Amino acid sequence: MLTSEKSAELKALQMGAADFITKPFDMHDVIRARVSRIIELNEGRQLISAAEHDKLTMLYTRSFFFEYANRIYKYHPELHMDAVVINIEQFHTVNELNGFEFGDSILRIIGSEISAFLSETEGIASRVEADRFNIFCKHQDDYQALLDRFQKKMDDVSRNVSIRLRMGVKPWKADVEPMLLFDRASAACSMVRGNYKTHLMFYSEDMLARELLNRRLLNDLRAAVEEKQFKVFYQPKYRIQCDPPRLCSAEALVRWKHPELGMISPGDFIPLFEGNGQISVVDKFVWAEAARQIADWRDRFGIVVPVSVNLSRADVFHPMLVKTLTGLIEENGLEYKNMKLEVTESAYTDNASHLLDVVNHLRELGFEIEMDDFGSGYSSLNMISSMPIDVLKTDMKFIRNIEHNTKDFRLVELVVDIAKYLNVPVVAEGVETETQLQLLKNADCDLVQGYYFSRPLPAEEFEKLIIREIEIDRRNDQ
Ligand code: C2E
Ligand code: CA
Ligand code: CA
């Protein structure tokens, strides 16, 4: 406000002027400094008043959090603050299945647990996005304990819904700004996705390389589909309670033949594409290819080798799933039982009701369902007996040690017992040695899949196994 009228000064201030300068004026530098000081003060005030706190959790909002974190970083380097990111697994489905009110209450509880934690140590926190929390806190020796504490709270308050937290940590490092620290903690946190063994990750340099690779694979997916870079390999399953063991069926396993990176194994891209739902694109290709292959072998060799394909969690939510699968059966003139569907045990426990509906529907049509990686999830005996399954596949990690570890062998026997009780066959996966095979045979296991018989093979090589079976049949007939 510029004025030469004395009486106007007060009025100007009352109307909201920040300051005033009386005319005439000549000290330009002083005036310039005064104006810029006022602008500065005003910006500061705006920053503070701009919603400091998230209404739901009462933690800081994102912008204020980073403003504050930057100040701590700048003025208190001696504090050695770590960046911690917490996230809820599949939060959108929690909202979808239980309503937003329930979702909000979960976020509120996490917020208050974080506040409780911060009252015991130095630090600040924010809900930076829907279900993403940032904590900038003094270094902790045991982050697993911290995660367990938050997870326990979740288990206590949501008895009927499984809420899983994941945590990523990037420990303090000199001269790394908070924004970058949190970027990395966040990357560590997303590495937890789909990992059933651990829900806590620390950022490492490997992870940076992994991040870059992931980004590249995500970018390259579309071209890979268009240019047919995905190949389907087939791994045989053998019936073992006969001599010699006989080829019974196969599992279709995808490979990515990348033009620059070479052969990429599914372990490197399946979890990545599962994370963003793009897995359905790959799976659809694999199912179509497998269906075509079953028909092709049937036409050329006169026998049907049933092939199991893998279903991801995201596929189960896909509205076109049933239509896609039945379409393939019809197009190729197959019977439903010729293409079996593998669903991992953890999918059953994650989202029981919807999955059960879909699986029941598929079974009514005539598809056989194999429960994959059985023993790695959390299903109780009680749940299993009511689950729609036609085959149990033991988790590979049990087989690995059955020669040396009696406890693991007992577990395999237990799985066989459960299968007997359910009246379904058992497939032991990951069998690599003769000893393992004999142990499984004695344990009354029905089928075996593993390197002992064969690695997953391209279709042309798998055909040699089919031809061998036809020869055994011919010899037996003579
Ligand atoms: P999975 O469904 O449990 O498949 C079995 C994996 O174990 C395969 O790895 C197979 O090559 C490997 N394997 C078989 N026998 C042995 C053995 O004797 N020793 C050892 N060490 N490993 C053995 P692969 O092909 O790398 O696939 C890894 C996982 O990727 C699969 O686990 C499955 O979850 C996923 N996957 C593979 N193909 C597809 C696909 O087309 N769609 C979807 N959704 N997932 C797929
Ligand atoms: Ca499988
Ligand atoms: Ca498996």
Side-chain angles (χ1 to χ4, degrees), residues 119-314:
S119 68
E120 299 155 20
T121 183
E122 268 169 282
I124 55 171
S126 161
R127 182 168 76 106
V128 283
E129 265 173 43
D131 63 330
R132 183 170 286 268
F133 294 84
N134 280 2
I135 308 176
F136 197 43
C137 61
K138 242 181 122 168
H139 178 73
Q140 307 288 306
D141 291 327
D142 190 353
Y143 280 105
Q144 186 62 52
L146 185 62
L147 175 59
D148 292 346
R149 164 181 174 170
F150 293 150
Q151 182 62 52
K152 177 160 188 319
K153 188 78 193 173
M154 289 295 99
D155 297 342
D156 288 348
V157 298
S158 57
R159 296 247 159 82
N160 305 317
V161 188
S162 148
I163 307 275
R164 288 244 137 236
L165 298 179
R166 47 175 181 243
M167 183 185 270
V169 180
K170 171 71 180 105
W172 175 88
K173 200 172 166 203
D175 302 324
V176 181
E177 291 188 10
M179 201 64 112
L180 193 53
L181 274 188
F182 277 98
D183 253 10
R184 298 193 163 162
S186 191
C189 189
S190 42
M191 292 299 286
V192 175
R193 191 171 292 152
N195 188 331
Y196 290 93
K197 286 172 201 91
T198 173
H199 288 87
L200 169 69
M201 283 279 192
F202 285 81
Y203 182 86
S204 65
E205 289 309 314
D206 289 353
M207 229 170 247
L208 178 63
R210 182 69 233 194
E211 270 281 286
L212 296 175
L213 177 66
N214 283 354
R215 211 162 298 160
R216 168 139 195 217
L217 296 181
L218 286 169
N219 280 337
D220 292 354
L221 173 64
R222 184 197 281 259
V225 174
E226 277 165 12
E227 292 164 20
K228 298 212 166 35
Q229 293 167 13
F230 290 106
K231 305 278 173 240
V232 180
F233 277 39
Y234 299 87
Q235 187 176 33
K237 299 179 190 178
Y238 278 85
R239 215 178 286 126
I240 60 165
Q241 296 299 338
C242 48
D243 197 22
R246 300 298 307 266
L247 177 66
C248 168
S249 56
E251 176 175 6
L253 293 158
V254 71
R255 302 287 177 266
W256 183 352
K257 214 169 165 185
H258 192 284
E260 282 145 37
L261 302 170
M263 202 64 116
I264 311 175
S265 86
D268 286 332
F269 62 86
I270 298 272
L272 178 68
F273 295 151
E274 270 174 346
N276 68 359
Q278 303 222 46
I279 186 64
S280 298
V281 181
V282 180
D283 278 342
K284 253 204 253 165
F285 167 78
V286 175
W287 304 338
E289 190 52 30
R292 193 198 54 71
Q293 191 64 67
I294 300 167
D296 174 60
W297 283 332
R298 178 200 58 201
D299 296 344
R300 285 169 44 227
F301 298 111
I303 56 170
V304 172
V305 182
V307 174
S308 310
V309 295
N310 288 285
L311 250 63
S312 293
R313 229 165 309 204

Side-chain angles (χ1 to χ4, degrees), residues 251 253 310 342 344 371-374 393-396 429-430 449:
E251 176 175 6
L253 293 158
N310 288 285
E342 294 193 7
T344 126
M371 189 189 252
D372 203 357
D373 306 327
F374 181 67
K393 289 186 84 173
T394 58
D395 194 73
M396 241 181 316
E429 199 175 9
Q449 175 182 352

Side-chain angles (χ1 to χ4, degrees), residues 439-471:
L439 282 168
L440 289 161
K441 196 170 172 178
N442 296 339
D444 223 8
C445 172
D446 306 281
L447 294 156
V448 155
Q449 175 182 352
Y451 295 171
Y452 175 76
F453 285 112
S454 167
R455 290 183 177 257
L457 302 170
E460 316 82 74
E461 280 186 56
F462 189 89
E463 283 173 25
K464 293 180 192 156
L465 304 181
I466 302 180
I467 292 167
R468 201 157 76 195
E469 290 302 312
I470 294 173
E471 276 165 9

